[in-house]
Amino acid sequence: MNNKAVILGNNYYIGLSTIRCLGSQGIHTVAMDYSDEERYGVRSKYCKEQVIVPHYKKEKEQFIGALINYAKKQEMKPVLIPCHDSYVEVIDEYLPDLKEYYLIPQTEQGLYTRIMNKDKLHQLAEKHGVRVPETVRVDEVDFEKKIEETIKFPCLVKPVDSPTFVSVFRKKLFKVNNMEELYASVEKAKEAGLEVIIQRIIPGFDDHMHTFDAYLNQESKVTHWVTCQKQRQYPINFGASVYTSQKYIPELYDIGATFLEAIGYKGFAEIEFKKDAETGNFYLIEINARITNFNQLLYKVGINFPYITYKELTGEPLEPKALTETTNRTFWYVYEDMLAIRNYLKTGQLTIKQIILSFLRPKIHAFWDRTDPKPALYYTKLMAFKAVRRVGKR
């Protein structure tokens, strides 16, 4: 296999997992980043090459130029795999240029960006008959009346552009309890130059969050898929997976595969759903158009999405496969799960007994792998250094 795999974003465990998924299959992995700071993914024994390029946002054109220049020097087109939303956005922006030099599953420029845009995604979902949380836009007529009668408090002020919002506010959304807080949050977003929408909160604890993870081939047909259930997330209630279990939920395939195929999606996608605790209906919350946080879990239960991507794009597609049983194997990001547990206990959403019982599940770690220990050891050293520095500032 002479095609290299270029992985963007290796200062996060998604990039580390992607390197492991590909490197363990004998593929030459290239960790490409804008900085070497906290870049623990490159410590993996499966990382064969390290490249530093300009920043994807601050020096966008130079970044694209560096990507292209690297590919021009290779014998065969590399496979390009982004592991962060911001990389997905810039790849989509320059998709025609990059596809001349890289193997990328998506062929329709703008589709990645549309499904990452919360407002456009919800319009697309409604068009195809997929349930989404009731939404009100800030400039709608009878705005306050719709909030009070349809959305109700508490409710969510969500960004249209999630990656930028997270980079500015270090959170995925604002939860507000009254009209005063709502207007204050809208104004805060406006000052940052960000557009927001207002949504109803679908009732149910964090374990009502589920995912449909799938790969769609160049004919936009789902060939591989698996479903999961979140147990805990951080920040709690509206955050990322920190304790997530594999669970077979065929209904999610019926909804998710039909929708992704209908919109002509290609490549890996993860749809996040929330199950309404009162009605049992599943609501589409968002789509991740890059490898998921708990990719290491999916890999360990037998669905290696980075490798599936690589093999199809290099002309040797793997046989279709779905995990149609429940293994209960669980992804665990220890550090953030400890922070989440503290807040679940503080708010009375979980008891100590419930937490202890949850730990009986067989676990897959975000960083630790006994056959590839260096990234976890390096990450532990980073966290210890940060802890010492925080104590020293007090």
Side-chain angles (χ1 to χ4, degrees):
M1 292 178 282
N2 295 321
N3 303 80
K4 294 181 178 180
V6 172
I7 297 101
L8 301 174
N10 302 279
N11 58 346
Y12 198 49
Y13 53 83
I14 300 176
L16 168 61
S17 175
T18 300
I19 288 172
R20 285 171 170 167
C21 283
L22 294 168
S24 63
Q25 302 299 318
I27 295 166
H28 184 106
T29 59
V30 183
M32 194 174 284
D33 301 277
Y34 61 86
S35 171
D36 198 43
E37 187 178 355
E38 298 188 6
R39 198 177 174 214
Y40 47 79
V42 304
R43 270 67 187 181
S44 171
K45 69 179 184 180
Y46 298 113
C47 181
K48 298 302 181 184
E49 190 176 343
Q50 303 177 33
V51 178
I52 297 296
V53 293
H55 195 279
Y56 57 85
K57 186 170 286 188
K58 297 175 184 176
E59 303 170 286
K60 191 184 297 183
E61 291 187 1
Q62 294 92 324
F63 166 68
I64 295 298
L67 271 178
I68 292 174
N69 287 336
Y70 176 84
K72 284 180 177 180
K73 298 174 184 176
Q74 309 310 311
E75 293 181 8
M76 302 181 73
K77 280 187 176 183
V79 175
L80 187 61
I81 301 182
C83 294
H84 189 278
D85 290 340
S86 295
Y87 281 119
V88 175
E89 287 183 328
V90 72
I91 286 172
D92 198 23
E93 184 178 350
Y94 291 87
L95 189 61
D97 300 315
L98 290 172
K99 282 186 74 70
E100 286 189 38
Y101 303 97
Y102 284 92
L103 298 175
I104 302 169
Q106 192 54 257
T107 56
E108 181 185 340
Q109 186 180 21
L111 184 56
Y112 282 148
T113 304
R114 284 201 299 279
I115 65 170
M116 291 173 65
N117 179 297
K118 295 293 190 297
D119 197 18
K120 291 179 180 177
L121 171 62
H122 283 214
Q123 292 176 30
L124 197 59
E126 288 176 335
K127 177 182 175 182
H128 290 277
V130 178
R131 289 188 182 89
V132 291
E134 290 82 350
T135 301
V136 172
R137 289 148 189 90
V138 177
D139 57 355
E140 286 189 30
V141 177
D142 295 328
F143 173 75
E144 290 192 4
K145 182 179 180 182
K146 291 177 180 177
I147 295 296
E148 292 171 350
E149 295 182 358
T150 303
I151 305 299
K152 298 184 170 57
F153 291 106
C155 62
L156 305 177
V157 178
K158 297 182 72 172
V160 167
D161 178 2
S162 290
T164 304
F165 187 93
V166 171
S167 69
V168 173
F169 295 109
R170 311 308 300 172
K171 59 174 65 176
K172 295 176 74 172
L173 48 79
F174 297 131
K175 180 182 178 182
V176 297
N177 298 294
N178 52 54
M179 200 65 72
E180 183 180 355
E181 290 182 6
L182 191 157
Y183 278 119
S185 296
V186 169
E187 185 60 30
K188 193 182 296 185
K190 185 178 179 181
E191 289 173 359
L194 294 168
E195 184 182 352
V196 292
I197 54 179
I198 319 302
Q199 281 189 353
R200 178 174 78 91
I201 296 176
I202 304 301
F205 179 60
D206 289 1
D207 62 0
H208 282 61
M209 292 297 299
H210 301 77
T211 67
F212 172 68
D213 295 88
Y215 185 81
L216 288 88
N217 64 16
Q218 291 300 290
E219 285 72 50
S220 295
K221 298 297 181 183
V222 171
T223 58
H224 298 76
W225 61 276
V226 59
T227 55
C228 297
Q229 178 182 18
K230 288 187 182 183
Q231 304 298 328
R232 295 190 288 271
Q233 48 190 356
Y234 183 79
I236 64 171
N237 306 138
F238 305 103
S241 300
V242 293
Y243 204 68
T244 295
S245 301
Q246 184 277 318
K247 181 180 180 182
Y248 175 51
I249 311 166
E251 186 178 350
L252 295 186
Y253 171 82
D254 296 336
I255 304 170
T258 301
F259 177 60
L260 291 173
E261 291 178 354
I263 66 174
Y265 193 88
K266 298 173 183 176
F268 173 79
E270 176 184 80
I271 304 182
E272 290 195 11
F273 291 96
K274 186 167 186 181
K275 187 176 184 179
D276 191 314
E278 297 173 359
T279 67
N281 293 325
F282 284 101
Y283 286 78
L284 185 153
I285 302 300
E286 66 179 6
I287 296 181
N288 293 314
R290 42 80 185 153
I291 301 300
T292 180
N293 291 44
F294 49 87
N295 179 63
Q296 193 68 8
L297 167 65
L298 306 182
Y299 168 44
K300 292 295 185 179
V301 297
I303 310 290
N304 186 340
F305 282 110
Y307 187 56
I308 292 163
T309 303
Y310 181 94
K311 292 295 282 184
E312 197 215 0
L313 294 180
T314 54
E316 298 178 340
L318 300 177
E319 287 294 316
K321 183 178 180 180
L323 189 56
T324 55
E325 61 177 316
T326 296
T327 67
N328 272 325
R329 298 187 77 179
T330 301
F331 167 82
W332 190 23
Y333 181 8
V334 179
Y335 173 67
E336 289 197 347
D337 190 36
M338 292 300 104
L339 298 177
I341 287 171
R342 179 188 64 185
N343 291 337
Y344 284 123
L345 292 172
K346 185 177 179 181
T347 56
Q349 295 182 55
L350 286 175
T351 65
I352 291 177
K353 182 180 179 181
Q354 288 173 316
I355 291 166
I356 292 173
L357 289 175
S358 75
F359 283 130
L360 298 177
R361 301 169 185 269
K363 289 174 280 295
I364 306 297
H365 295 270
F367 301 94
W368 177 251
D369 187 317
R370 62 181 180 81
T371 66
D372 186 31
K374 286 186 179 180
L377 296 175
Y378 183 78
Y379 176 77
T380 302
K381 183 174 74 172
L382 283 176
M383 299 307 294
F385 177 76
K386 286 183 177 181
V388 170
R389 190 167 56 184
R390 281 197 297 269
V391 172
K393 288 182 179 179
R394 291 177 181 174

